[in-house]
Amino acid sequence: MPTRERARVPPTTYEELAPSAKAAHDAHARVARITNMKRTLLHSVPAFDALMSWYTLRDAVQPFLGERLTALFAHAVSTETDCLICSTFFRRLLVQSGENPDQLVLDPWESAVVAFGRALAVTPHGVPDEIYDTVASKLSQEQMVALTAFGALMVATNVFNNALGVPLDDYLEPFRRAGARRE
């Protein structure tokens, strides 16, 4: 995989933002960190709004998966798509909660949810029935829809970061997996 010396679309600065983008920035900054990905998305407020719906889906999934399994699922999707930013972001969450992301201990349910995330990242046509059925057997249809949409939005976020070469945020650098690609 080729590496880039610079982002294809550089993150914006606050001063460069249009008034509508400043409003989106300010509203989001009240609830979450403004990262390089978000500063890049702010070139287009509709794109920013679309991918920031990730938070709404996360909040829908977390009550039935729990915080840890939600992070494991998102990490699995991001690792499978080789998204440096997102996989490192979730590595950070796992490390800060006392886990070793390279030696996770998963029970059968967690393994099934992680496998579902990995399968979504590879190809939604290739989700094996046994993986889907294991996850779906414990969740309602509403929960399966929310989890699948969350995974799809995670893939979209990963595609965005990978395609545009969004640079890794400095605060994530200490959590980069050994040997992870450089942007």
Side-chain angles (χ1 to χ4, degrees):
M1 176 173 295
T3 59
R4 287 181 277 299
E5 293 298 316
R6 60 182 175 82
R8 288 179 166 164
V9 175
T12 60
T13 65
Y14 188 79
E15 296 73 30
E16 297 171 321
L17 296 175
S20 62
K22 282 183 179 176
H25 173 286
D26 294 347
H28 190 77
R30 288 191 283 275
V31 296
R33 180 190 309 250
I34 300 295
T35 62
N36 287 338
M37 180 188 83
K38 294 169 189 175
R39 289 179 32 232
T40 304
L41 280 165
L42 283 165
H43 284 283
S44 166
V45 174
F48 178 83
D49 290 342
L51 291 187
M52 290 306 97
S53 67
W54 178 91
Y55 288 91
T56 304
L57 281 168
R58 182 210 52 200
D59 292 347
V61 167
Q62 203 161 286
F64 61 85
L65 283 190
E67 191 173 330
R68 177 179 184 264
L69 190 50
T70 300
L72 288 169
F73 177 79
H75 180 258
V77 171
S78 301
T79 300
E80 200 64 35
T81 63
D82 195 27
C83 178
L84 177 64
I85 291 173
C86 294
S87 64
T88 305
F89 175 85
F90 290 105
R91 280 181 67 80
R92 177 184 69 93
L93 292 182
L94 294 168
V95 167
Q96 289 178 335
S97 69
E99 303 236 22
N100 178 345
D102 299 319
Q103 297 179 342
L104 293 168
V105 177
L106 305 175
D107 65 26
W109 166 242
E110 293 166 335
S111 293
V113 171
V114 165
F116 182 61
R118 288 186 185 284
L120 284 175
V122 173
T123 176
H125 299 290
V127 176
D129 288 339
E130 60 274 8
I131 292 172
Y132 177 86
D133 292 344
T134 300
V135 175
S137 72
K138 293 192 175 203
L139 300 178
S140 70
Q141 290 179 345
E142 178 182 355
Q143 291 169 330
M144 259 331 273
V145 167
L147 180 61
T148 304
F150 179 61
L153 200 52
M154 196 72 244
V155 169
T157 301
N158 295 176
V159 168
F160 178 84
N161 288 326
N162 288 344
L164 295 185
V166 177
L168 186 67
D169 296 272
D170 291 341
Y171 83 98
L172 292 175
E173 192 64 45
F175 302 96
R176 181 196 291 260
R177 182 179 47 82
R181 65 187 173 83
R182 291 237 173 235
E183 289 300 325

